[in-house]
């Protein structure tokens, strides 16, 4: 069977961390993708120019000479126009976390009214808003309960590009078609898992993430939108590595580490559903259009060859550890244009 090729695949939601973990995981993304949107939820958060530049430099060092663009983001706080103008060319968006909803989000937003002046500035400067859309209600309802907030934002700031990050519900899929300025990312794991996989049998801490995987009908709505390459939906892995001791303990950290397996598993999934022709749009073309990106040319090839997912990458365990995937990433190269 001929290799399957993707042109400049992009990961539109990625946690690279810092220090040893950054140096471990960044090359795994840089091998497979042409670029990724890098999340700012570090401790302390990436919310000023000095922190942004030093984090970017650390990411560049970890990537080495791979063809891979780290698209940087800021952690949302009230910013002045001067601050935003100064940093505009170095970021692709600002990530808003409601306070306390996920890993390292304590410095997030407590009252939306306080965010509105900055959101108005972002609209004027054409800086996309990326949102972790969960209320602090009952865990299965948090995303659906957040839809009125998205509605308020979409109406109040009609020229602001709003990205609903890592959507997990049929309500979010339906919401995509309601406002021209609303887009979304979806992960690989939310296309294949439901809450049953996380907690229906023996507890699976490596599948525990925020937002939690939902019901079969939610997973099916997400999968149908991805397989049909819904034009407002982008792939964002939300690959969120935590060391094994933080996952396999009381008080398990939220996050699934998918970066090294995401693309081969997506090829397998789209092939299984006879939708391989739509994968290019889902993992790259939609994002280029929505974010007005032009990623570096990078052809990534896959061969159909059953491959076992490694049990671990040093201190972190990948999604699907020990399982067999039907495709393997074989090579990457510059596209001849
Ligand atoms: C992410 C992390 O660990 O940084 N965790 C997760 O469960 N997805 C944060 C986030 O994206 O919510
Ligand atoms: Zn995330």
């Amino acid at each position: 069977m001929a290799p399957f090729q993707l042109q400049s695949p992009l990961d539109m939601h990625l946690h690279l961390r810092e220090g040893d973990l950054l140096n471990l995981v960044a090359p795994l993304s840089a091998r497979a993708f042409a670029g990724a949107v890098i999340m700012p939820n570090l401790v302390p958060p990436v919310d000023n120019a000095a922190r942004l530049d030093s984090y970017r430099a650390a990411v560049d060092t970890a990537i080495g000479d791979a063809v891979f663009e780290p698209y940087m983001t800021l952690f949302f706080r009230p910013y002045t126009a001067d601050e935003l103008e100064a940093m505009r060319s170095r970021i692709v968006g600002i990530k808003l976390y409601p306070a306390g909803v996920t890993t390292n989000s304590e410095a997030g937003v407590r009252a939306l009214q306080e965010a509105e002046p900055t959101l108005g500035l972002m609209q004027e400067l054409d800086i996309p808003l990326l949102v972790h859309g969960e209320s602090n209600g009952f865990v299965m309802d948090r995303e659906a309960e957040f839809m009125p907030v998205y509605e308020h934002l979409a109406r109040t700031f009609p020229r602001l590009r709003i990205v609903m990050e890592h959507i997990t519900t049929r309500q979010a899929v339906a919401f995509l078609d309601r406002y021209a300025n609303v887009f979304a990312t979806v992960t690989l794991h939310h296309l294949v898992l439901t809450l049953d996989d996380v907690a229906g049998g023996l507890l699976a801490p490596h599948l525990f993430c925020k937002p939690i995987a939902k019901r079969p009908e939610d997973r099916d709505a997400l999968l149908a939108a991805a397989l049909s390459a819904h034009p407002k939906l982008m792939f964002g892995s939300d690959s969120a590595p935590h060391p094994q001791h933080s996952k396999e303990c009381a008080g398990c950290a939220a996050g699934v580490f998918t970066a090294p397996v995401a693309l081969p598993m997506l090829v397998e999934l789209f092939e299984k559903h006879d939708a391989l022709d739509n994968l290019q749009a889902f993992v790259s073309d939609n994002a280029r259009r929505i974010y007005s990106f032009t990623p570096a040319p990078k052809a990534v090839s896959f061969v159909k060859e059953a491959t076992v997912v490694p049990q671990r990458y040093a201190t972190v365990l990948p999604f699907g550890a020990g399982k067999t995937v039907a495709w393997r990433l074989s090579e990457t190269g510059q596209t001849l244009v």
Side-chain angles (χ1 to χ4, degrees):
M1 187 168 185
F4 174 75
Q5 211 175 60
L6 290 170
Q7 304 300 331
S8 301
L10 297 168
D11 181 348
M12 301 306 289
H13 182 131
L14 176 64
H15 298 270
L16 283 182
R17 314 303 194 200
E18 290 184 274
D20 291 346
L21 202 45
L22 167 64
N23 292 324
L24 173 71
V25 301
L28 300 170
S29 286
R31 171 163 187 255
F33 292 90
V37 173
I38 311 302
M39 290 296 128
N41 62 330
L42 307 180
V43 185
V46 180
D47 70 352
N48 61 72
R51 184 88 168 111
L52 177 67
D53 291 345
S54 64
Y55 188 40
R56 167 73 198 236
V59 169
D60 283 342
T61 304
I63 291 164
D65 9 317
V67 176
F68 179 83
E69 179 70 17
Y71 298 107
M72 306 303 287
T73 61
L74 287 171
F75 192 99
F76 188 95
R77 64 168 170 80
Y79 288 100
T80 65
D82 285 351
E83 284 178 306
L84 292 183
E85 274 160 24
M87 291 186 279
R88 172 72 191 100
S89 64
R90 286 173 271 168
I91 57 168
V92 298
I94 300 184
K95 177 77 185 287
L96 187 153
Y97 295 86
V101 295
T102 191
T103 311
N104 303 338
S105 63
E106 292 69 25
V109 171
R110 284 172 202 280
L112 199 59
Q113 299 92 301
E114 288 160 27
E116 297 202 347
T118 302
L119 296 174
L121 292 170
M122 289 169 63
Q123 171 168 264
E124 293 317 313
L125 292 167
D126 196 22
I127 300 174
L129 172 72
L130 286 54
V131 183
H132 184 116
E134 288 197 281
S135 72
N136 48 21
F138 178 67
V139 66
M140 288 295 277
D141 298 337
R142 287 176 191 171
E143 183 172 294
E145 283 177 2
F146 203 82
M147 292 301 132
V149 180
Y150 281 128
E151 176 141 33
H152 172 77
L153 292 173
R155 282 176 190 242
T156 312
F157 305 101
R159 288 176 293 110
L160 178 67
R161 275 178 279 179
I162 299 168
V163 184
M164 304 189 286
E165 293 295 332
H166 44 50
I167 58 171
T168 60
T169 57
R170 59 199 185 284
Q171 288 89 344
V173 174
F175 192 80
L176 267 182
D177 295 324
R178 294 194 44 208
Y179 291 91
N181 58 332
V182 173
F183 309 91
T185 61
V186 67
T187 73
L188 162 68
H189 47 285
H190 290 114
L191 296 179
V192 296
L193 300 178
T194 70
L195 184 61
D196 256 2
D197 298 294
V198 185
L202 295 179
L203 190 66
H206 295 284
L207 305 182
F208 171 65
C209 68
K210 300 286 179 71
I212 193 111
K214 303 288 187 316
R215 306 182 64 87
E217 51 269 39
D218 295 305
R219 190 260 327 267
D220 294 349
L222 296 163
L223 185 58
L227 292 173
S228 65
H230 188 299
K232 297 176 89 183
L233 188 63
M234 304 169 272
F235 174 63
S237 71
D238 195 16
S239 179
H242 292 274
Q244 185 174 12
H245 65 83
S246 305
K247 294 292 291 177
E248 297 179 3
C249 60
C252 160
V256 182
F257 176 51
T258 51
V261 293
L263 285 180
M265 285 189 181
L266 281 172
V267 175
E268 181 178 40
L269 182 67
F270 274 61
E271 186 195 34
K272 184 173 119 191
H273 291 277
D274 208 12
L276 264 184
D277 289 349
N278 285 339
L279 187 54
Q280 176 65 33
F282 177 58
V283 299
S284 187
D285 300 353
N286 288 352
R288 298 183 203 200
R289 201 181 52 251
I290 292 165
Y291 271 86
S292 321
F293 280 165
T294 309
K298 180 172 179 173
V300 182
S301 301
F302 302 85
V303 285
K304 194 158 190 186
E305 202 175 283
T307 306
V308 178
V309 177
Q311 289 290 351
R312 56 174 55 252
Y313 290 85
T315 53
V316 283
L317 275 58
F319 182 61
K323 298 223 168 97
T324 300
V325 183
W327 291 80
R328 178 172 69 76
L329 195 159
S330 60
E331 58 180 307
T332 61
Q334 295 288 120
T335 322
L336 296 175
V337 276

